[in-house]
Amino acid sequence: MSNVTTTDIQDNRPRISPEPGKTLSSRSLPRWAPLGFAALAIVLGVGVSLAAGWHSRVQWGLISALFFLAISYIVTTKIENQRQAKDRLATSIVWVCFLIAVVPLASLLWTTISRGIERLDGYFLTHSMAGVLGHENSGGVYHALIGTLEQVGIATVISAPLGLLTAVYLVEYGKGSLAKAVTFFVDVMTGIPSIVAGLFILSIMLMVELEPSGLMGALALTILMIPVVVRSTEEMLKLVPNELREASLALGIPKWRTILKVVLPTAIGGITTGVMLAIARIAGETAPIMLLVFGSQLINSNPFEGAQSSLPFYIYEQYKVGEAASFDRAWAAALVLIAFVMILNLVARGIARWKAPKTGR
């Protein structure tokens, strides 16, 4: 029996030496340090800006951001070490970029809500602009809301099946030159300007002598929506594990049935989210509606005949009038459009969470 004592085992354990410049007793900044740095940076930024005669809040924010980065790096270097200072500097840069991106969006949202909520009420949502002059305080957005719902609905009915079937072909079947060509054209269509889609439908209207209608605007929106649906659906189908396909095929189930019963149900949450986001993308398009629908002050519930309005066109129309009352109506319509897009995004997130695959422990 070996005579090995506990002391010998402990003596043979490998010793972990502390990192250079950092020991167990080295100092570290508290968790609230970034908030303190930010407060100090704001005070210094505003003070320096006022001393220099700069009265723009944008300049105050940029100077404060530079002070925040400098203070974070210098203080962390002095108290902790240079490696931690570089890490905190990178984190601070991320936060500054995040705030630079969020502040304009928050300002836009706040301005729209504060200006639009004064005019938004039940009367505004249930009346049209029939017989209303630009300087009058009456009138509403009902006719434009109906037009937007119908045009976006028609575009969705056409785009969703086409985009879904195209994505299924690219992921499950496409392997040749045709698949490469389809992918190329989808990429090109993703960045196509909305005015080009409107001009394309307009050229067809002129050739076959069609009248402006909500359907023509919906066809232009379809061109803009299809590539978004294809791309989002394609990425969702690629996330479905191949093991599920192989298990289904191993049981002798045909490939088309595997796609219909296994692949699509697994990715239905992401597909629905992509379709909802595509709807939100086309809901604010104005150029195709101006070319193809022409706008109308009256309520037109028939998208297949006659001019029709929409929320984006209504906003442009009211702003062009140039009266105080029309400006109020434009801001209220903009708030309705933002609420419409926000509701679509919330619905998409809810469906994605509801249809997400349940994972067990």
Side-chain angles (χ1 to χ4, degrees):
M1 186 173 181
S2 177
N3 296 325
V4 180
T5 62
T6 305
T7 305
D8 296 332
I9 295 177
Q10 293 177 348
D11 292 338
N12 291 330
R13 291 176 180 174
R15 299 180 181 273
I16 302 176
S17 58
E19 298 179 6
K22 184 175 181 180
T23 63
L24 295 177
S25 60
S26 62
R27 295 177 296 176
S28 61
L29 291 170
R31 292 184 177 181
W32 51 265
L35 296 177
F37 296 158
L40 180 59
I42 292 174
V43 173
L44 292 176
V46 174
V48 171
S49 299
L50 293 177
W54 300 334
H55 300 286
S56 173
R57 295 182 180 180
V58 176
Q59 293 175 333
W60 296 0
L62 294 177
I63 297 299
S64 300
L66 294 177
F67 273 117
F68 174 69
L69 296 177
I71 293 172
S72 299
Y73 182 79
I74 294 173
V75 174
T76 306
T77 302
K78 295 296 183 181
I79 296 180
E80 296 182 355
N81 53 57
Q82 192 172 9
R83 183 174 65 85
Q84 294 294 333
K86 293 180 180 179
D87 179 77
R88 191 177 294 275
L89 177 63
T91 305
S92 300
I93 292 176
V94 171
W95 276 104
V96 169
C97 293
F98 169 75
L99 291 176
I100 291 176
V102 167
V103 167
L105 296 177
S107 176
L108 174 63
L109 183 61
W110 171 254
T111 302
T112 305
I113 293 176
S114 61
R115 295 289 298 273
I117 200 66
E118 299 177 357
R119 187 68 179 79
L120 184 61
D121 52 18
Y123 175 86
F124 183 76
L125 295 175
T126 55
H127 287 73
S128 67
M129 291 295 295
V132 179
L133 299 179
H135 65 274
E136 296 179 356
N137 291 324
S138 57
V141 76
Y142 180 75
H143 62 299
L145 185 59
I146 292 296
T148 294
L149 292 176
E150 291 182 347
Q151 294 161 23
V152 172
I154 294 174
T156 303
V157 170
I158 300 174
S159 302
L162 290 178
L164 176 60
L165 294 176
T166 303
V168 169
Y169 167 75
L170 292 176
V171 175
E172 303 294 338
Y173 297 98
K175 294 182 180 179
S177 58
L178 179 60
K180 294 181 180 178
V182 172
T183 302
F184 172 76
F185 283 111
V186 168
D187 292 338
V188 173
M189 290 178 62
T190 302
I192 188 174
S194 60
I195 189 67
V196 175
L199 289 174
F200 175 72
I201 301 298
L202 180 62
S203 63
I204 297 177
M205 289 175 56
L206 296 177
M207 286 189 295
V208 298
E209 298 182 355
L210 295 176
E211 296 295 330
S213 63
L215 176 62
M216 298 296 105
L219 293 178
L221 298 179
T222 299
I223 297 176
L224 301 173
M225 184 176 177
I226 286 178
V228 180
V229 176
V230 172
R231 273 284 164 247
S232 59
T233 304
E234 185 180 1
E235 294 302 323
M236 291 301 104
L237 294 178
K238 289 180 180 179
L239 293 177
V240 178
N242 286 327
E243 289 78 5
L244 296 178
R245 298 180 176 91
E246 295 171 354
S248 178
L249 295 174
L251 295 175
I253 299 176
K255 188 172 184 177
W256 68 268
R257 195 170 182 82
T258 298
I259 296 172
L260 188 63
K261 296 295 185 179
V262 177
V263 178
L264 291 180
T266 304
I268 190 63
I271 294 174
T272 306
T273 302
V275 173
M276 290 293 182
L277 295 178
I279 294 174
R281 182 249 189 273
I282 66 172
E285 292 293 344
T286 308
I289 307 302
M290 294 174 61
L291 288 174
L292 307 172
V293 184
F294 280 16
S296 175
Q297 304 293 332
L298 305 177
I299 300 174
N300 181 11
S301 301
N302 184 7
F304 303 101
E305 183 180 359
Q308 197 177 43
S309 186
S310 68
L311 286 174
F313 184 82
Y314 179 87
I315 296 170
Y316 164 76
E317 191 178 40
Q318 293 301 313
Y319 179 80
K320 188 176 63 174
V321 173
E323 299 289 342
S326 65
F327 286 153
D328 293 338
R329 287 192 292 266
W331 281 110
L335 181 58
V336 173
L337 182 59
I338 290 177
F340 176 73
V341 175
M342 186 175 297
I343 291 173
L344 287 178
N345 282 283
L346 292 177
V347 170
R349 291 181 179 274
I351 294 176
R353 180 172 298 181
W354 174 43
K355 291 294 185 178
K358 304 298 186 294
T359 57
R361 295 184 178 179

